[in-house]
Amino acid sequence: RRLLGCATSPWHRVLESEHAGDYRAALVEYGLLLHKKRGSHAHAHLLPSSATGGLATSLPAQAKPIDDAGASASGDAEVFAEICALESRRMRCMLELGELDSVIDHVSTLQQHKQQQHQQLESALLPFALEAAWRLQQWNSLDTFLKCLDGDLDSSGGRSSVSSSDHSAAFQVSLSRLFLSLQRGDQSDFAQQLQMARLRSMSLLSAATLESY
């Protein structure tokens, strides 16, 4: 498309950048996409400003008026799901760039808010914060993030906030628990967490096998 002189879409540019390993350019594109999505959300003022990729101060978003409550709620849910997905991909770029402190700061900021959508976004980004924490050997932060997951597990009646279909996130949670047990020198807990990680992996592989048929 570029050879023909055609304009490329933001999604095309961001995928090209990721494929080429240019995560800095991809990070900028995700920021622009997030700003656009945030601006189309009826309750944009309730979303964290960091969801714009650092563009909130220069590109203020306006909340849309709500004409039909039902349609607005349904549309907002779809937009918010897209925002969570974009934020997740943005966090992956930050990890690839080694901006580990920024990942931790972003998720920690979300934890200070009580709105439901902040908490939903936090749950979606927690696996990235876990990876950043153990890579920086910030064991206190790692412990705090894992306790947040455990708290979500208790409040949801035993259902983890990390989707069982998200293999990467589930693996990151298991790996983080193993690293924390190692750091504490708790051999018993390490053995238990290792067994649980194996069972989880077997469950995910079985589910993937069934889906392939």
Side-chain angles (χ1 to χ4, degrees):
R1 293 177 64 179
R2 280 187 175 177
L3 292 176
L4 296 175
C6 298
T8 56
S9 69
W11 267 115
H12 188 261
R13 290 196 300 271
V14 78
L15 292 176
E16 271 191 341
S17 297
E18 286 187 334
H19 182 70
D22 188 355
Y23 294 104
R24 182 66 61 189
L27 195 61
V28 172
E29 292 293 343
Y30 279 129
L32 294 171
L33 287 167
L34 278 163
H35 166 71
K36 184 177 180 180
K37 284 296 176 184
R38 185 174 182 270
S40 65
H41 195 284
H43 297 92
H45 59 291
L46 295 179
L47 294 175
S49 60
S50 50
T52 62
L55 298 174
T57 54
S58 57
L59 297 171
Q62 299 295 326
K64 285 190 173 181
I66 302 174
D67 297 324
D68 182 81
S72 176
S74 176
D76 278 358
E78 292 180 5
V79 171
F80 186 71
E82 293 177 5
I83 287 174
C84 286
L86 285 169
E87 274 284 19
S88 295
R89 295 180 72 106
R90 190 171 77 96
M91 290 296 103
R92 174 50 56 191
C93 286
M94 293 172 73
L95 288 175
E96 293 290 347
L97 290 168
E99 298 181 1
L100 309 180
D101 286 310
S102 296
V103 173
I104 290 176
D105 290 343
H106 183 37
V107 177
S108 296
T109 299
L110 290 173
Q111 290 178 330
Q112 298 172 12
H113 297 274
K114 299 302 180 184
Q115 288 96 339
Q116 182 181 5
Q117 290 190 332
H118 285 81
Q119 294 171 347
Q120 291 173 347
L121 184 57
E122 175 200 339
S123 295
L125 302 185
L126 266 173
F128 301 99
L130 291 174
E131 180 177 344
W134 66 252
R135 284 174 60 179
L136 288 171
Q137 298 184 35
Q138 292 188 9
W139 306 116
N140 289 337
S141 295
L142 184 62
D143 186 37
T144 298
F145 292 140
L146 285 172
K147 285 179 179 177
C148 287
L149 284 177
D150 292 338
D152 289 342
L153 192 66
D154 293 337
S155 63
S156 61
R159 297 186 301 275
S160 174
S161 59
V162 175
S163 171
S164 59
S165 62
D166 191 339
H167 299 187
S168 177
F171 173 76
Q172 193 56 241
V173 173
S174 296
L175 187 62
S176 297
R177 294 190 190 281
L178 286 169
F179 278 139
L180 192 59
S181 295
L182 275 177
Q183 193 275 333
R184 290 172 171 171
D186 191 334
Q187 296 182 2
S188 175
D189 185 60
F190 178 82
Q192 181 181 0
Q193 294 296 338
L194 183 60
Q195 179 64 17
M196 291 174 63
R198 286 171 174 165
L199 291 174
R200 254 185 235 111
S201 297
M202 291 172 62
S203 176
L204 292 172
L205 286 173
S206 297
T209 301
L210 290 174
E211 290 174 0
S212 66
Y213 285 101

